[in-house]
Amino acid sequence: MNSSPEKNRGCRRKSCLVLTLVPLLLIVVLFCLFRSSHTLPDRFVLNLQLSGDLSEIQGESSTLPFLSSREPLSLQDLLFILDHAAADERVKELLLEIGGLHASPAKISELRSSIEKVRSRGKKVTAFLSSPEDSDYLLASACDAIVMERGGYLLLDGLKAETLFYTTPLGKIGIRFQAAQWKQYKSGIEPFTRTGASREYFEQIGGLLDEVYDDYLGYASRRRGISRDSLSGIIDRIALISDSRAKTFGLVDSAASSWELKRALNRKITGKEPTGENDALVSGGEYRSAVDWPMKGEGDERIALITLSGPIVRTAGESALGMGEGVDVESLKHSLDAALDDKKVKALVLRIDSPGGDALASAEMLQMLDSAAVKKPLVVSMSGVAASGGYMAALAGKTVFASPLTITGSIGVYALKPEISALVAKTGLGRDVVTRGRLADANSPFKPLDKEAYQKFVAASGEIYDDFIGKVARSRRMPLTAVDSVAGGRVWSGTRALKAGLVDRTGGLFDAIHAARLLAKMDMSKNPRIILYPEQKSWIEMLVQGNRAGLPGMIGAAFKKQLMQEFLPVRHLSSIAAFYDRLMLSGRVHMMAMMPSEIIIE
């Protein structure tokens, strides 16, 4: 006997309802289990692992639960975690496991300040060093005690800046570049037009290294209670130091295995031999998931923390050899629109960790930020680097903060055009072109620019440079001649940028948040809620709300990133690899407002 149509429709509706409710219930159960697994003990040691490049913020793959444990904490993660821990009565001590840290001087300096804040609250901070180098040791010196891995070696061999020059090897295969440079200190063209560094490059990099090295020797020797000359002598004459000699020199306090140290801390907190049931060590990821993130709000008022991290690109998806996307115009627009539409957001803090990038994209970002700053107070916080196009974006700030060792400035423009006519001749490649318009084929990579086209190429770079220094002059209220005297591609530390009038104050992220609260006349007796942009969704939120790439795409991208990090660390790639990649593939002219090089402490 056939069922009635009404009965069939009812069954289908029930089936649809079941298919909808079951996944939702499963998600709710998973969410509850995930949250319950992050209940913290009443007393514990906060155990943070610091390694890698200290990205400013986490990527999307970090939100996937099965990969989050392998993803290093970002700089902002660490800053907010340490800020929480300083006031959290449950946190009795901190253990920092430091090894393989490759970070800019300003990031290490800001972390040192956060560690000092924790110590000022009477909480002991211990550093455990595994195969440490200069960067690891510099950060560890901020702690109360340094424990070195038993049997290991401490490599303190100083600082260096290295640039590779490709002109000769590329010339051998028939590739060369034509360049426009505004001005002489904008040295990003040099690897492709020279066989060695210019005097201006050595002047800039030498000055920055002097500042960083002076900070390194002064801070580490002062914290360890040894003379500056002694530390300098160890670096110059010994470099590779065993755990026993490191203790003799006063560089470390003791040596132990990680297992021994953690068991000792466990016994200290619990008074018992550690077992799986009374583990008193809590990881940074567990702590982050169990506290109000990123800061406990005590009222309705909010501050939007908008981060520009990575090279500035025109559109989403442009990346450095597939290793990671830059910050694009549309993403910033979405962040600003959301922050301005939220009536509870009283002020904006723009956090910049960018060497710059596409000149026109940088100018468009500044225009959007200037418009936003008219509606709500905007304060800028410079992280490791805020240079060239990154500095241009900072011009929107009512107040601009830089860490003393932030790398900033690099106000200038350069452009490179590849031409492969010699390569074509070597390979015998044939080419016929039909054009309409006298200059239709002028920018082809198959031939050099002729005199007229080259003059236009250079003139266009000069116009962008003039526009750039004009923006700086208006924002910083400086005469054009004064701006030009500190521009031309010159690079500054945060301390020297303050003296040059390019920034307003030295300080870190929390200094900028405090200044934004004052500008917005917020209630200073209550902590505001911090809203992070671009929005960082949890894996639960992405499952519920969906993602443009879909879950398989997200998982695939996350695994790809993880594998690439294992086999080809990002630090081995130049910060301008994205530009060179696009340049070589397309042959187009690109106008860049970008920092020509990086300084990383290793």
Side-chain angles (χ1 to χ4, degrees):
M1 184 176 179
N2 294 328
S3 300
S4 67
E6 289 81 4
K7 187 174 181 180
N8 287 333
R9 282 196 296 271
C11 290
R12 285 197 294 271
R13 282 196 294 269
K14 290 178 181 178
S15 298
C16 291
L17 186 61
V18 169
L19 289 173
T20 303
L21 288 177
V22 168
L24 287 175
L25 287 172
L26 180 60
I27 289 171
V28 170
V29 171
L30 286 171
F31 180 75
C32 292
L33 290 173
F34 186 70
R35 293 295 295 179
S36 65
S37 68
H38 289 78
T39 302
L40 300 179
D42 294 332
R43 294 165 53 87
F44 61 89
V45 176
L46 181 56
N47 183 194
L48 303 179
Q49 295 186 345
L50 295 93
S51 63
D53 300 291
L54 278 187
S55 300
E56 181 65 30
I57 55 176
Q58 284 194 352
E60 195 169 78
S61 65
S62 305
T63 60
L64 297 174
F66 47 83
L67 284 179
S68 59
S69 62
R70 300 191 67 187
E71 186 83 14
L73 292 168
S74 70
L75 177 64
Q76 285 188 25
D77 284 337
L78 290 165
L79 293 177
F80 281 115
I81 285 172
L82 290 169
D83 185 68
H84 271 284
D88 192 337
E89 294 295 330
R90 297 170 299 177
V91 178
K92 299 306 177 183
E93 291 195 27
L94 270 77
L95 172 62
L96 308 185
E97 294 186 76
I98 307 172
L101 190 61
H102 304 274
S104 67
K107 290 182 177 181
I108 292 176
S109 177
E110 193 164 8
L111 277 176
R112 285 186 337 211
S113 297
S114 292
I115 292 169
E116 289 166 356
K117 181 180 178 182
V118 174
R119 289 175 46 242
S120 71
R121 299 291 183 91
K123 300 175 189 287
K124 184 178 179 180
V125 184
T126 300
F128 177 76
L129 295 179
S130 175
S131 302
E133 298 184 24
D134 295 275
S135 57
D136 306 308
Y137 186 72
L138 178 55
L139 183 59
S141 63
C143 301
D144 294 291
I146 300 178
V147 180
M148 189 170 160
E149 187 174 30
R150 180 179 285 112
Y153 282 83
L154 178 60
L155 178 60
L156 302 184
D157 56 357
L159 312 181
K160 71 174 182 178
E162 182 179 62
T163 300
L164 298 178
F165 291 84
Y166 310 108
T167 305
T168 299
L170 287 177
K172 289 181 178 180
I173 61 174
I175 298 175
R176 71 183 187 92
F177 287 82
Q178 292 175 290
Q181 178 188 27
W182 290 79
K183 295 185 179 179
Q184 69 271 26
Y185 286 93
K186 198 70 176 177
S187 57
I189 64 169
E190 292 184 5
F192 294 90
T193 59
R194 297 174 59 97
T195 57
S198 65
R199 176 187 61 81
E200 290 81 7
Y201 172 86
F202 281 122
E203 177 187 329
Q204 293 287 283
I205 296 301
L208 287 172
L209 277 179
D210 284 342
E211 287 188 76
V212 175
Y213 197 50
D214 182 68
D215 173 82
Y216 175 15
L217 293 177
Y219 186 87
S221 62
R222 185 172 63 254
R223 286 287 306 137
R224 294 303 305 172
I226 60 178
S227 73
R228 182 189 175 102
D229 288 343
S230 295
L231 179 58
S232 177
I234 290 169
I235 292 171
D236 289 338
R237 292 190 293 272
I238 303 175
L240 191 62
I241 310 151
S242 67
D243 56 351
S244 58
R245 293 191 76 189
K247 185 177 178 181
T248 300
F249 291 141
L251 298 174
V252 304
D253 297 290
S254 61
S257 69
S258 173
W259 181 80
E260 288 175 315
L261 178 59
K262 290 180 179 179
R263 286 180 68 84
L265 287 171
N266 231 315
R267 284 194 299 269
K268 184 177 179 181
I269 297 299
T270 65
K272 303 175 183 178
E273 285 298 319
T275 66
E277 296 180 355
N278 66 353
D279 188 358
L281 269 68
V282 172
S283 72
E286 290 171 328
Y287 188 68
R288 184 190 190 279
S289 299
V291 298
D292 295 312
W293 191 258
M295 183 182 288
K296 184 177 181 180
E298 297 172 338
D300 290 334
E301 294 181 322
R302 301 177 177 181
I303 285 181
L305 174 55
I306 301 171
T307 300
L308 298 184
S309 179
I312 293 174
V313 296
R314 297 286 295 172
T315 57
E318 296 183 43
S319 63
L321 300 176
M323 285 300 298
E325 296 182 0
V327 55
D328 64 278
V329 174
E330 193 64 22
S331 293
L332 177 60
K333 179 181 181 298
H334 286 318
S335 296
L336 288 173
D337 286 346
L340 293 175
D341 289 343
D342 189 340
K343 294 181 180 179
K344 293 182 179 179
V345 170
K346 305 301 180 183
L348 314 175
V349 173
L350 180 67
R351 176 77 166 182
I352 302 175
D353 185 36
S354 173
D358 187 288
L360 296 180
S362 302
E364 190 172 352
M365 286 184 175
L366 175 59
Q367 185 178 20
M368 291 190 295
L369 290 163
D370 277 336
S371 297
V374 172
K375 300 174 183 177
K376 295 183 180 182
L378 189 153
V379 175
V380 170
S381 170
M382 293 180 173
S383 182
V385 58
S388 207
Y391 179 75
M392 186 186 292
L395 295 174
K398 175 71 174 177
T399 306
V400 179
F401 284 84
S403 292
L405 296 178
T406 292
I407 297 174
T408 188
S410 193
I411 300 166
V413 178
Y414 62 82
L416 288 168
K417 181 202 174 293
E419 69 93 358
I420 58 172
S421 56
L423 177 62
V424 169
K426 286 176 184 288
T427 58
L429 177 67
R431 179 175 182 257
D432 286 321
V433 182
V434 179
T435 63
R436 295 294 183 273
R438 188 167 60 87
L439 299 175
D441 194 41
N443 290 324
S444 168
F446 293 97
K447 63 180 183 179
L449 296 170
D450 62 25
K451 182 177 180 181
E452 180 184 0
Y454 182 73
Q455 288 174 343
K456 294 178 183 294
F457 173 62
V458 174
S461 301
E463 289 174 5
I464 293 175
Y465 176 76
D466 290 340
D467 179 67
F468 195 165
I469 63 172
K471 287 179 167 66
V472 178
R474 288 190 295 275
S475 175
R476 303 303 303 171
R477 295 180 175 85
M478 297 168 64
L480 271 175
T481 53
V483 174
D484 193 43
S485 70
V486 298
R490 294 173 179 85
V491 179
W492 307 89
S493 67
T495 299
R496 292 195 297 133
L498 178 63
K499 296 176 181 176
L502 297 178
V503 303
D504 297 299
R505 300 180 191 175
T506 55
L509 176 60
F510 293 107
D511 296 304
I513 291 174
H514 182 77
R517 294 174 64 188
L518 290 174
L519 281 174
K521 297 181 171 59
M522 297 171 68
D523 185 350
M524 301 302 288
S525 66
K526 297 179 180 179
N527 286 329
R529 183 180 174 192
I530 306 295
I531 309 297
L532 302 176
Y533 295 103
E535 186 178 3
Q536 298 177 10
K537 296 179 181 179
S538 70
W539 66 278
I540 289 286
E541 290 172 318
M542 287 190 287
L543 281 174
V544 174
Q545 299 173 12
N547 179 278
R548 284 177 297 177
L551 185 59
M554 291 159 48
I555 294 172
F559 273 115
K560 177 185 175 184
K561 180 180 178 182
Q562 189 67 47
L563 287 171
M564 291 298 284
Q565 285 177 338
E566 294 288 341
F567 293 107
L568 184 61
V570 175
R571 65 179 178 273
H572 292 162
L573 300 175
S574 165
S575 65
I576 44 179
F579 165 53
Y580 295 147
D581 188 36
R582 296 199 307 275
L583 192 69
M584 292 301 296
L585 288 175
S586 68
R588 292 166 44 214
V589 171
H590 294 266
M591 295 294 180
M592 305 299 293
M594 198 161 196
M595 173 77 182
S597 58
E598 295 173 294
I599 289 185
I600 302 296
I601 299 180
E602 294 189 350

